[in-house]
Amino acid sequence: MKSQGIKIQENIPLAPFTTFKIGGPARFFCEVSSEEEISEALRCAKDNNLKIFVLGGGSNILISDDGFDGLVIRILNTSCIIHDTSIECGAGLSFSKAVGLAKENSLSGLAWAAGIPGSVGGAIRGNAGAYGGEIKDCIESVKVVEIMQNANLKNKNDNAKLKIFTNSECGFNYRSSIFKQNQNLIILSCVLKLEKGDKAGIEAKMKEVIGKRAQKIPTDPSPGSFFQNPTVTNKNLIARFEKDMETSCRDSKLPAGWLIDETGLRGKKIGGAMVSEKHANFVVNIGGAKAQDIMMLASYIKMKVRDELGVQLKEEIQYVGF
Ligand SMILES: Cc1cc2nc3c(=O)[nH]c(=O)nc-3n(C[C@H](O)[C@H](O)[C@H](O)COP(=O)(O)OP(=O)(O)OC[C@H]3O[C@@H](n4cnc5c(N)ncnc54)[C@H](O)[C@@H]3O)c2cc1C
């Protein structure tokens, strides 16, 4: 496949680009850092009638054993400019690097995110959150490349357009945003709005968060929480949770991990896939897992939770190439 400025490789294994360490190859693969490079990748895909998949840090996806039969565009824009109370950064910057830079510059607002893997772009798309924080609360604006699907464009180069979304235009919601709903939006960079803070205080909060995460989060390869915490209407189930966990249920959402635990699936294995012993909402790769093993285990979990508790779980992770 011909391209002027970007290198397009063929048949590239994708498993190493994911935290799950699972999945087959990309038929075509390229790495891009700028609007121009994204546009060129999109042009190549269009000219060759290929589907695209935008890859960030690969920490929230399951790639099929057959891989992805199209062009994988890996976002590598890691630019970063520190302002007085904000950070302007590329979508490819690792989220933990952004959190660390905020601390180094005594900017508060991101300590809750210490330890979350992946890229800034991926975090924005899924409105990443932990311990009461969500990235939506730190976003001033997001710069995107919008894929123009209009085939009648006179100028072949007009296949992509730059756009800036303010926070209120991002449609943030629980683990969602307009960028998740609209596949034509590729996040290029953002401005994180923070506050002047005390470096030692920020560091202490980050340490606390990392300590809490270490107790809960399995170290085996995984894509993080597998299912979203569902909104539940069954009052008896909510009362059972509150009694069992000695805590109150917020916004009628029950932790998916608690629901899975209630069905006794902690430790359940199919092939190399297992419901983590440490946290039941983590499906982990205990060695050599196939995407097929993960899919079978995920279906089994959903069936058990639906049949026994009447709750329909929905994946937080994204399936790629299925
Ligand atoms: C051990 C572990 C712990 C985790 N803990 C948390 C947690 O506490 N809270 C939390 O919210 N998440 C958590 N996660 C999940 C994951 O880290 C986040 O969802 C992360 O923000 C995903 O970013 P990514 O760059 O890895 O996205 P990827 O996995 O690369 O992609 C995920 C989706 O985002 C899209 N995407 C990626 N970059 C862009 C872009 N620039 N433009 C448009 N679309 C894009 C992809 O196409 C894909 O659909 C955890 C994961 C792991 C492995």
Side-chain angles (χ1 to χ4, degrees):
M1 191 161 61
K2 270 198 198 137
S3 138
Q4 287 161 352
I6 52 170
K7 186 175 161 201
I8 297 192
Q9 297 170 273
E10 233 177 303
N11 206 22
I12 298 297
L14 290 173
F17 291 103
T18 72
T19 53
F20 225 166
K21 305 295 173 216
I22 295 174
R27 184 165 160 217
F28 296 103
F29 179 91
C30 65
E31 295 180 321
V32 297
S33 297
S34 62
E35 180 205 350
E36 292 73 25
E37 289 180 351
I38 293 178
S39 295
E40 191 177 338
L42 293 173
R43 202 158 44 241
C44 284
K46 202 167 185 186
D47 288 350
N48 294 280
N49 211 11
L50 294 170
K51 294 178 289 187
I52 62 152
F53 175 71
V54 176
L55 177 66
S59 66
N60 207 209
I61 52 175
L62 173 66
I63 292 174
S64 121
D65 293 321
D66 294 334
F68 182 72
D69 186 22
L71 174 64
V72 170
I73 302 175
R74 183 165 179 238
I75 307 292
L76 280 192
N77 176 10
T78 57
S79 62
C80 187
I81 306 168
I82 315 281
H83 298 289
D84 194 30
T85 54
S86 63
I87 300 181
E88 212 178 320
C89 56
L93 185 72
S94 100
F95 192 26
S96 62
K97 186 100 188 262
V99 173
L101 283 168
K103 180 204 74 184
E104 283 309 312
N105 290 279
S106 305
L107 293 173
S108 74
L110 278 180
W112 57 269
I116 298 183
S119 66
V120 167
I124 294 171
R125 179 194 183 265
N127 186 22
Y131 303 107
E134 281 178 305
I135 199 168
K136 75 172 174 55
D137 298 325
C138 315
I139 292 290
E140 183 169 300
S141 60
V142 178
K143 194 186 270 185
V144 305
V145 173
E146 181 174 15
I147 307 170
M148 307 308 286
Q149 296 290 4
N150 186 350
N152 296 324
L153 290 169
K154 285 192 196 111
N155 180 355
K156 208 173 152 217
N157 292 335
D158 280 353
N159 63 342
K161 200 167 84 181
L162 260 191
K163 238 181 174 174
I164 294 182
F165 287 74
T166 61
N167 183 305
S168 60
E169 291 168 332
C170 292
F172 286 122
N173 232 311
Y174 170 63
R175 297 295 174 271
S176 187
S177 70
I178 194 168
F179 316 110
K180 190 168 182 176
Q181 306 307 324
N182 182 348
Q183 307 288 321
N184 289 324
L185 301 174
I186 301 179
I187 302 166
L188 182 61
S189 65
C190 73
V191 178
L192 298 168
K193 184 99 197 102
L194 303 166
E195 279 173 18
K196 281 253 182 258
D198 152 58
K199 191 169 165 183
I202 299 168
E203 198 155 24
K205 173 103 196 276
M206 283 172 65
K207 269 203 180 129
E208 187 192 323
V209 167
I210 286 170
K212 280 190 195 162
R213 293 179 71 88
Q215 283 178 13
K216 258 180 55 179
I217 295 183
T219 48
D220 285 318
S222 81
S225 298
F226 203 92
F227 298 103
Q228 296 184 4
N229 294 332
T231 302
V232 170
T233 48
N234 181 339
K235 292 208 167 44
N236 291 334
L237 193 60
I238 291 176
R240 189 163 132 194
F241 165 78
E242 291 184 330
K243 188 162 173 251
D244 186 20
M245 301 307 286
E246 294 176 356
T247 184
S248 51
C249 163
R250 264 187 284 160
D251 303 329
S252 301
K253 276 197 190 305
L254 289 185
W258 180 80
L259 293 162
I260 297 166
D261 252 344
E262 287 296 287
T263 64
L265 284 181
R266 200 178 273 238
K268 168 79 185 166
K269 282 184 204 162
I270 294 183
M274 184 174 90
V275 177
S276 170
E277 295 276 11
K278 203 167 177 184
H279 190 314
N281 196 21
F282 277 70
V283 173
V284 292
N285 175 2
I286 52 172
K290 296 275 166 213
Q292 201 54 36
D293 300 337
I294 307 289
M295 294 299 278
M296 282 194 282
L297 186 53
S299 306
Y300 188 65
I301 295 169
K302 286 168 88 169
M303 184 190 75
K304 286 274 278 182
V305 171
R306 190 174 51 237
D307 289 356
E308 293 182 21
L309 304 170
V311 177
Q312 181 63 55
L313 289 177
K314 188 170 170 244
E315 283 80 353
E316 182 168 318
I317 69 152
Q318 305 297 309
Y319 292 126
V320 182
F322 287 90

